[in-house]
Each structure stands twice: as C-alpha cells, then as structure tokens.
Amino acid sequence: MSTTPIPSGATLGDLETPRVVVDLDRLEHNLRRQQEICDRHGVELWPHIKTHKLVNVARRQLALGAKGLTCAKIGEAEAMLASGVRRLFIAHSIVDPRNGPRLKALAGQLDQLILAATSVAQAQALEKVLAAVDLKVDILIAVDTGLGREGVRNEEKARALVETVRCEPHMNALGFYSHEGHTYSVAVEEQEAAFEAIHQKLDGIRNACAPELSIWPGCSVSAPVMATKPNVHAVRPGAYCFGDIALCVVSKTLRWEDAAVTVLSTVVDRPTPELALIDAGSKTFSGDKSRLGISGLEATEGRLQVDRCNEEHGYVLGEGVDKLQVGDRLRFVPAHICPVLNLADDVVVVRGEEIVDIWPVEGRGKNR
Ligand SMILES: Cc1ncc(COP(=O)(O)O)c(C=O)c1O
C-alpha cells in the first residue's frame, strides 16, 4: 500500500528532505539471507517487527517463510494484522488488566498468540488479565542470557516460573526465550564464545527444568549462529532486515553494502570550513548513538559522519567536509535503525535512485 502517488520516473532528487529511504534490493537480500540460514537448519524465523513497523515488510517476511512475527507491544501486533499474519509472539511483560479485551480480540484473529512470562510476579498478573477475558494462550518463559533485563537469572528461578506457568489455567508452557541484546557490545573476535555461552545457558535451563519445551533466542547479532545450534526451535531477529552502524560496522553481522535504510538530507549551512549542518537531526536519526559515538555515517564512502544532533540539525564532520556546498544532498546510515522508523510517517522505497513506492509506517508510535 502506498500513501502518495509517485510520478513515474521520480528519483530521490525530486524529494524534499529529510526522508527515510529504503533500498528494496538490499532489504530483499537481508530478508532472504536470514530466512535461508533458518531453512537450512530447520529453524523457524519469527522476525521482530519493532524495527520496520511496516506491513509490507512483514508480508514479505511471511511470504519468504517466516512462521510468525514477534512484536513488542499489543499495538504493533494489531498494526501487523493487515499483513495476513496468523501467529504472533508479543515479547513483553504484560500485566495491565485493561489489556485483556484487546488481547482477546487479537487472539480471535490469529491461529496462535504467544505471550511472555518474565517472572513469577508478572506471570501471576498476566494470569489475571487472561482469566478476566477467559483467554488461554501459549507462553514463552524469559531467560536473561546476559542483557540484564527481563527473565529468570538461574535454574532455581526458572523452575519456579515453569511451575507457575504450568499451574495457571490460562497458560500453556511452550518454551524459553531470550533477547541477547548485550551481544551488540561484544568484540567481533569474542562473539563466537559469547553465542556459545548464551546457548549453553538457555539450553541448560531447558534441560534442567523442562526438556520437552523449546528454545527461542532472539537478536540480529546472534541469529545467524543461534540458528545453527542444537535444540533451537526459532530465532527472532529484528534489525537484520535493514542493518545500521551497529550491525554493519560495529558487530559486522551484515556487510556495509547491506545497509538498506538511509536518511536523505540536505546541507543547509556551512558555518565553518570543518562543519556542515544538515536538515536531519535527532527528530529523524533519534537520540541513539552508535558505539562509535556518532548518529550517522555517510552511505557511499563512509568518510563523513553525523557527529551530533540537535532536534532539526545534524552536525557533519569528517574528511571532505570542506568541499561540501549549501544545497548538497547526503545519505547517512543511522546509528540504530529501530527508533528511526518510529519517527517517520512513511518511507521512500527505491531501486537505485528511482522511487518505486512510498510506504506508510503503520506501526509508528504503537507503543501501547
Ligand atoms: C525481546 C526481543 N526480541 C528480539 C529483539 C530483536 O533484536 P534485534 O533488533 O537486535 O534483532 C528485541 C530487540 O530489542 C527484543 O527486545
């Protein structure tokens, strides 16, 4: 679905800036690569849609073979129904009784709704939400594999949570999941060992507490490797579809030429020879910086960087900045792609320089 009619032959040069630009061929490459790894190892792919928030991308992920979609919030799940998805995992700690009617309505439009149990206290609160609307769902139990966020930290806590889930009448224990987001900070040469330790923890807890349940790790850095490890039932990467500085430069999970989303911007002033100001700031790039300490890296040569942002200004520094002129247009790969999509009304879809579509970001702002 597109929002704006595009004159045939329109190119990026015809657009006002800033704009978020999706390269269709790179997106397709990234989607296929992870799907092929999963297919080769008989592992299900449940992509996390919080990165793209786009029905068109969800539809493509499902067409390529994804078994279901992962969402962070009920609102994202509702927004993705238009993709035709039949199986959804909401990977968040749901506790609010007001959520019950929406969960019931959502489940009524799906073959499978999976929810998360992240601690005994949270599971007991979730049971009340489900009981109030008489809804029984499959449950994945969260294991903290190093991020230090939600999930059981050890076997003892895992046993207690499995027991709770098994006793609650509106829950059916399905497996264990983790989000290994801390692997974004692991040095490339130490990744292999980190992935092994994560797998050992997740599979160790499964073996000790409930060997009949499955394991579902989820993170773009680890997913290509996790999909090759024993007993992994499904992986749930999100940012792999687009890439960003974190995935294409820091963790090197994707190649630089796989970065599928750029921010198109215009140089609006040159206050000093070593500084260019662009019209994209933190309201486009978000406030997130990469581990390199920057908001964006110029997409073709990577020599210019968005060093910092105010709301509507980006400060561009780097080699060749003195040659930039007011009115020049630059494309930058963002530091962290997920919040960038959440800030955009729509994205411009291109093949090369040619605009092929404009997609509304249906899941934008759906954080309830
Ligand atoms: C629970 C959960 N699963 C999966 C993901 C996907 O991670 P990534 O975008 O790094 O692939 C996230 C990301 O925050 C998450 O929180």
Side-chain angles (χ1 to χ4, degrees):
M1 188 182 40
S2 85
T3 37
T4 323
I6 312 147
S8 95
T11 69
L12 289 179
D14 298 317
L15 295 177
E16 293 172 279
T17 60
R19 290 305 286 256
V20 176
V21 179
V22 174
D23 183 304
L24 203 53
D25 294 334
R26 291 181 180 203
L27 166 65
E28 180 72 13
H29 168 85
N30 296 340
L31 298 184
R32 279 181 185 274
R33 176 176 170 267
Q34 183 62 56
Q35 186 65 56
E36 280 164 15
I37 295 172
C38 287
D39 291 348
R40 210 174 312 133
H41 297 277
V43 165
E44 294 184 3
L45 180 58
W46 288 61
H48 204 312
I49 65 81
K50 76 183 191 91
T51 300
H52 58 71
K53 290 176 172 272
L54 293 162
V55 168
N56 281 313
V57 176
R59 206 175 272 137
R60 189 70 193 130
Q61 287 171 319
L62 293 165
L64 286 172
K67 281 286 178 300
L69 300 175
T70 305
C71 300
K73 294 292 180 71
I74 304 172
E76 284 182 345
E78 291 164 342
M80 289 303 123
L81 284 173
S83 69
V85 64
R86 301 298 307 171
R87 292 183 195 80
L88 273 171
F89 171 36
I90 303 178
H92 211 278
S93 312
I94 294 177
V95 297
D96 186 346
R98 297 166 194 82
N99 293 157
R102 285 169 77 202
L103 289 171
K104 179 93 172 177
L106 190 61
Q109 296 175 77
L110 297 170
D111 296 331
Q112 186 182 27
L113 175 63
I114 310 176
L115 299 180
T118 57
S119 71
V120 169
Q122 180 272 338
Q124 288 166 345
L126 176 60
E127 171 60 26
K128 289 194 187 125
V129 178
L130 297 171
V133 291
D134 193 22
L135 173 65
K136 183 163 185 172
V137 297
D138 288 331
I139 295 286
L140 286 173
I141 293 164
V143 176
D144 174 48
T145 52
L147 181 62
R149 203 176 64 183
E150 79 276 30
V152 293
R153 267 54 175 171
N154 55 43
E155 267 178 43
E156 190 195 338
K157 297 271 185 203
R159 255 195 207 96
L161 187 49
V162 170
E163 200 47 40
T164 304
V165 170
R166 286 205 166 124
C167 291
E168 298 294 7
H170 297 88
M171 297 187 176
N172 173 48
L174 189 68
F176 297 95
Y177 83 97
S178 74
H179 168 52
E180 348 26 293
H182 60 295
T183 53
Y184 280 95
S185 316
V186 171
V188 175
E189 58 283 6
E190 286 160 22
Q191 284 175 352
E192 205 61 47
F195 300 154
E196 183 55 28
I198 289 161
H199 179 263
Q200 269 181 25
K201 176 148 191 196
L202 207 48
D203 204 31
I205 282 187
R206 179 193 72 96
N207 265 325
C209 303
E212 67 287 6
L213 300 188
S214 53
I215 56 174
W216 299 52
C219 176
S220 292
V221 180
S222 54
V225 176
M226 283 300 168
T228 69
K229 295 207 179 271
N231 300 323
V232 171
H233 175 79
V235 291
R236 318 174 332 274
Y240 81 102
C241 59
F242 290 153
D244 50 20
I245 297 180
L247 281 173
C248 300
V249 181
V250 179
S251 76
K252 299 199 186 306
T253 313
L254 303 184
R255 303 167 307 173
W256 177 242
E257 58 268 33
D258 296 332
V261 175
T262 48
V263 169
L264 174 69
S265 64
T266 301
V267 175
V268 292
D269 213 344
R270 299 291 330 285
T272 65
E274 51 295 321
L275 173 66
L277 295 175
I278 55 169
D279 57 356
S282 59
K283 283 186 172 164
T284 303
F285 284 102
S286 88
D288 283 10
K289 291 197 163 199
S290 82
R291 274 177 61 218
L292 308 178
I294 59 175
S295 303
L297 201 51
E298 197 274 323
T300 36
E301 299 188 348
R303 295 204 191 104
L304 293 167
Q305 61 201 49
V306 181
D307 188 63
R308 63 193 172 99
C309 288
N310 295 146
E311 289 177 46
E312 298 293 3
H313 291 86
Y315 293 66
V316 176
L317 306 177
E319 197 186 318
V321 71
D322 51 319
K323 307 212 172 48
L324 292 175
Q325 314 260 339
V326 167
D328 283 353
R329 304 190 23 131
L330 296 167
R331 288 168 73 178
F332 289 92
V333 174
H336 179 202
I337 193 61
C338 306
V340 174
L341 271 286
N342 195 44
L343 290 170
D345 285 336
D346 54 24
V347 294
V348 181
V349 185
V350 295
R351 276 218 162 85
E353 285 285 305
E354 192 190 340
I355 300 172
V356 295
D357 213 343
I358 294 183
W359 293 341
V361 186
E362 293 91 344
R364 175 186 182 178
K366 303 285 189 220
N367 58 351
R368 274 197 296 278

